[in-house]
Amino acid sequence: QSALTQPASVSGSPGQSITISCTGTSNDIGGYNYVSWYQQHPGKAPKLMVSDVSNRPSGVSNRFSGSKSGNTASLTISGLQAEDESYYYCSSYTSNITVLFGGGTKLTVL
Amino acid sequence: EEQLLESGGGLVQPGGSLRLSCAASGLIFSSYAMTWVRQAPGKGLEWVSAISASGDRTYYTDSVKGRFTISRDNSRNTLYLQMNSLRAEDTAVYYCARNNGGYARGMDVWGQGTTVTVSS
C-alpha cells in the first residue's frame, strides 16, 4: 500500500500561514475521520499535533488546525514561528485495517 | 509523567531474531491500544503493528506479517514486538506509542525509540 501523498517541502515567513496537504483515497482519508498529524524534529520522537481530522490535543498551540475535504486532509499553521520548523507527517486509518503515514513534509521558516 | 521506554534493539544478522520491549509508566497501560512505528535511516514514519487494550486483537502491515508478533503483558505494563526472519529493510528506529483510543486513533505518547540494525 503506497504512502499518503504529501509535498516534500513547504516554506513560509514568520507570522504567515502555511498549509500542508495530505492526499489519499476513499479507502483511507476519504472513508474515515481518523486522520492525524505529527511533528517530528530531527533525532526526536514524533509529537501528535492533530487527531481525528481536527482535534487538537491538550497543550498543542491553537495555531495548528486540521481539516479534510474528500480524499485530502490539510494541516494549517498560522502565525508561523521559528520553532515550527520541523518535519510533519499525516496518517490515516485504512480499509485494510492498518494505518498509513504520509511521506512527510519539511517545513522551513524563512 | 506518562512515559514509554523501549529496549531490546541492536545489531542482528539477516534471518535473525530480536524482541523489543516497551515499558510504560505513569499511565493506565491496560486501558489503551498500543502501536509500533518504525523509521528507516533518513526516511519517513512507517506504521508496523498495533494491539488492542486487552491484547485480543492484533494488526500488522503486510511487510511484517508472519515474521513479527506484537503482544502485551498488562500486569507488567509492557508491550513487546517479537521480530523473526529479519531483513536488511527492517533496519530502523522502532518507536512504541500509545493510541488515544482505539488503534485507528492518534498516538499521543511516544517512547524515545530503539535502533535495530540488520546487517552481516
Side-chain angles (χ1 to χ4, degrees):
Chain A
Q1 196 166 12
S2 300
L4 303 173
T5 301
Q6 297 181 234
S9 63
V10 298
S11 63
S13 299
Q16 286 186 332
S17 294
I18 63 94
T19 297
I20 300 172
S21 62
C22 174
T23 301
T25 70
S26 58
N27 293 320
D28 37 68
I29 292 176
Y32 309 93
N33 288 323
Y34 291 134
V35 177
S36 298
W37 289 90
Y38 301 88
Q39 177 190 66
Q40 186 184 33
H41 293 295
K44 301 295 185 182
K47 175 185 177 183
L48 180 66
M49 306 303 286
V50 170
S51 67
D52 300 343
V53 176
S54 59
N55 290 337
R56 227 179 7 257
S58 174
V60 173
S61 170
N62 59 9
R63 298 185 298 105
F64 292 82
S65 62
S67 63
K68 187 184 89 166
S69 177
N71 298 335
T72 299
S74 300
L75 174 71
T76 298
I77 308 173
S78 60
L80 266 181
Q81 299 179 0
E83 67 207 48
D84 299 331
E85 184 162 296
S86 189
Y87 289 85
Y88 292 85
Y89 294 90
C90 61
S91 74
S92 174
Y93 178 71
T94 84
S95 59
N96 291 331
I97 60 171
T98 60
V99 172
L100 197 56
F101 278 98
T105 298
K106 181 178 181 180
L107 169 61
T108 301
V109 181
L110 302 171
Chain B
E1 182 186 1
E2 298 174 323
Q3 285 191 325
L4 298 172
L5 183 63
E6 302 96 337
S7 60
L11 174 64
V12 62
Q13 292 188 337
S17 299
L18 274 179
R19 187 176 85 154
L20 306 183
S21 299
C22 169
S25 60
L27 55 91
I28 305 174
F29 181 71
S30 60
S31 295
Y32 296 93
M34 298 291 295
T35 294
W36 286 98
V37 173
R38 68 184 179 185
Q39 187 167 35
K43 302 297 184 182
L45 302 174
E46 181 184 19
W47 182 89
V48 175
S49 180
I51 189 168
S52 63
S54 64
D56 62 339
R57 286 163 286 158
T58 58
Y59 312 90
Y60 301 92
T61 191
D62 284 347
S63 63
V64 308
K65 278 180 185 174
R67 300 189 300 123
F68 290 11
T69 302
I70 190 171
S71 63
R72 64 191 297 161
D73 184 340
N74 285 346
S75 68
R76 296 178 182 270
N77 291 341
T78 303
L79 174 73
Y80 302 100
L81 186 67
Q82 177 67 44
M83 304 186 297
N84 299 330
S85 304
L86 282 162
R87 307 166 179 168
E89 54 264 37
D90 297 317
T91 294
V93 174
Y94 284 73
Y95 296 99
C96 65
R98 182 186 80 174
N99 294 91
N100 62 346
Y103 80 97
R105 311 288 295 278
M107 291 164 267
D108 62 349
V109 180
W110 292 69
Q112 86 292 343
T114 187
T115 299
V116 172
T117 303
V118 184
S119 174
S120 55

